[in-house]
Structure formats: C-alpha cells, structure tokens
Amino acid sequence: MTSKYQYETLRVNVYPDGVAHVELYRPKRLNAFNEGLVEDIRQCFTALGTDSDVRAIVLSGHGKLFTAGLDFSDNFLLKEKSDDDVARQALRKQSHIQWFQSAMSSLENCRQPVIVAMHNAVFGAGVDLCTAGDIRYGTKDVFFTVKEVDVGLAADVGTLQRLPKVIGNGSLVRELCFTCRNLYAEEALQCGLISKIFDTKEQLIEGALETARVIASKSPVAVVSTKHLLNHSRDHSVAEGLQYTAVWNSAMLATEDIPKSVEAFMTKKPATYAKL
C-alpha cells in the first residue's frame, strides 16, 4: 500500500493489486462539501486517472454518512460581495460553478472505472458526485436526496444532466428534483441508481473492493476502452457511437492483451498485463 496521495479532506490508499480506495474525510462536518473538498476531489481523480499503478477505484465516505451535501457553515457559492455590475459578478460565478462541475466530472473523466460505495445519507452534491461514477453500491440504510430546490436553487454540478441518464425514468427524476423527497435503498435499487445493497458499511466496502479487484485483474486496455466508449455512446446516437468505436478499436485491437487473454481463457490461468 502506498500513501503518495496526500489531501486534507480525502484519504487515499493504493493497493498492490491495482485498486485505489478514496475516502471523503471531513467526519466532523459529515463529509460536507467546502471549497477544500471540492478541489481535493478534482485534483485526486485527475491524478489517479494518469496513474498506471491504478486500474480501478473505490470511493466511499468516512464516518457516520457518505455526505451531508454542501457545507453551509462555509458556503463558498454565496461568499462573494462586490460592487461590480451584475454581468461581471455573473461571469465570476459562472467560472466558479464550472470549477465545481469539473470536480464532479473528474470521476467520469478518470479513465479507470470508479465504484461509489455509499452508506446512510447522500444529500445534494453527493448525488451530483455519485452519478459521475461508473458503478454505485449502497447499504440497506442508504438514502438519496436531491436537496437543491429546498435551499432555493437548481442543482448545477451534474445531477440534472446525469440522473436522467442513470435511471432512465424522467417522471421519477422530476419528482425527486421538484419535491426533494428521500429515495431509499430498495427504490434506488429498483430504479437503477444503485446495483447492489449490503447490510453493513463493512460489507459494502469489502464488496466494492472485491468488484474493483475483479476489474483490476482484466486487461487495462480493454477496461479503459470500454469506459471511454460507453461514455461516448451515452452522449451520441447509435450510429455515431458505432462509427467512433470503429475508429477507436482500429488502434486498440493492436494490443498484446488480446492473445494474453485468449491464452488465459484456454489454459484457465490468470493473465498478467503490462501497465498502461
């Protein structure tokens, strides 16, 4: 295990099997999002995405719950007071919102699959964050709340863009976003927001790490390509996705990982793949 990733609001461990475990670590503030946590997330997942020792990532929350959403005791979105005109203030706020968006999108842009393991409460920005991940697991006591309307704003860092595509039910998405009601584990499983439920947080973390280990044992070329093509296809037509895949794979098929994978299948022995 290595600890080369050092952040004030995150704990990061990278294991020899290629799995990284990132924990939100503001337990005294219930892992609420302040400016420091947002920037640490952005930097961490950007760095992990280029780390050839990392092949799969688990993200969880340290302490009582996954996240309480925005930290209103350190509300950086409403800090600015200025005598500048509305246009100049708006442009600065736009840049700040885009910076926050880039932190949430760092999970999606990270080339390795990200498994988000959530327990207890997932408020507000936590939904923005988890929908940018690839796989979502929860404990039986987990619940999700798109909380922004209750505090007077529209969600602006990913939920309104990603949640409809994650669960594929426009009526339910609008109900959750307009009413800010809680979405509990069983309903979250039924609608596809999460794909597994675990009894305890300990079982949740071990289950997420086990899935990450399985992914990390596969060809990194195949896994990275699959994530990249899934994300591209989600945002394009079927025809455009197929065209792009043909171009992408015309290069990626020229890999030593294919004969290694075939040999492993034939001999029933695990393959060893080179780092990216």
Side-chain angles (χ1 to χ4, degrees):
M1 193 189 319
T2 181
S3 58
K4 69 178 181 178
Y5 294 98
Q6 298 292 329
Y7 302 96
E8 183 179 349
T9 65
L10 300 173
R11 282 183 170 180
V12 184
N13 288 314
V14 179
Y15 298 94
D17 56 12
V19 173
H21 183 193
V22 180
E23 286 184 289
L24 306 179
Y25 192 71
R26 296 190 74 217
K28 292 182 180 179
R29 299 300 307 162
L30 300 177
N31 299 326
F33 286 80
N34 67 349
E35 201 160 18
L37 178 56
V38 174
E39 180 60 17
D40 282 352
I41 289 170
R42 189 188 68 82
Q43 290 187 18
C44 178
F45 281 90
T46 300
L48 287 171
T50 60
D51 189 336
S52 61
D53 290 323
V54 176
R55 297 189 180 183
I57 303 166
V58 172
L59 172 64
S60 66
H62 185 86
K64 183 179 178 181
L65 48 78
F66 182 71
T67 178
L70 282 181
D71 188 342
F72 288 101
S73 70
D74 184 12
N75 193 341
F76 54 90
L77 291 177
L78 301 177
K79 272 181 183 176
E80 183 182 23
K81 295 187 184 300
S82 172
D83 294 327
D84 288 342
D85 65 25
V86 172
R88 285 168 175 79
Q89 292 183 54
L91 286 169
R92 282 198 296 272
K93 285 181 180 177
Q94 184 181 114
S95 294
H96 204 81
I97 292 167
Q98 289 171 335
W99 162 78
F100 200 161
Q101 290 172 344
S102 72
M104 303 298 100
S105 295
S106 66
L107 277 66
E108 183 174 280
N109 294 333
C110 177
R111 65 184 180 183
Q112 303 92 332
V114 179
I115 303 166
V116 189
M118 295 161 286
H119 70 290
N120 202 315
V122 184
F123 283 110
V127 179
D128 297 290
L129 182 66
C130 78
T131 52
D134 298 283
I135 299 168
R136 286 164 295 279
Y137 293 163
T139 51
K140 65 182 181 182
D141 68 347
V142 76
F143 65 93
F144 303 83
T145 308
V146 182
K147 198 65 175 169
E148 282 81 355
V149 162
D150 270 352
V151 294
L153 68 148
D156 55 5
V157 293
T159 290
L160 301 185
Q161 292 70 39
R162 294 189 175 98
L163 187 60
K165 295 182 178 181
V166 168
I167 69 176
N169 183 331
S171 176
L172 178 57
V173 168
R174 289 167 189 260
E175 177 193 336
L176 294 170
C177 294
F178 294 153
T179 67
C180 307
R181 76 165 174 88
N182 295 340
L183 178 76
Y184 293 98
E186 286 295 337
E187 189 179 4
L189 180 67
Q190 290 170 9
C191 75
L193 180 57
I194 58 177
S195 53
K196 285 185 182 178
I197 295 175
F198 296 84
D199 286 337
T200 67
K201 182 185 177 184
E202 292 73 24
Q203 291 171 347
L204 166 74
I205 299 302
E206 183 49 45
L209 289 171
E210 178 56 33
T211 298
R213 292 184 199 110
V214 171
I215 294 169
S217 73
K218 310 291 186 182
S219 157
V221 171
V223 171
V224 166
S225 294
T226 298
K227 175 171 178 173
H228 181 72
L229 293 171
L230 281 169
N231 285 346
H232 181 275
S233 293
R234 178 199 60 195
D235 298 330
H236 295 79
S237 70
V238 172
E240 289 168 334
L242 288 170
Q243 175 70 20
Y244 185 80
T245 298
V247 175
W248 179 272
N249 263 10
S250 65
M252 293 301 112
L253 291 176
T255 174
E256 64 183 29
D257 291 12
I258 293 176
K260 283 187 175 182
S261 298
V262 172
E263 182 182 0
F265 177 77
M266 298 298 292
T267 63
K268 309 300 181 186
K269 296 179 180 178
T272 300
Y273 300 102
K275 297 177 183 180
L276 293 179

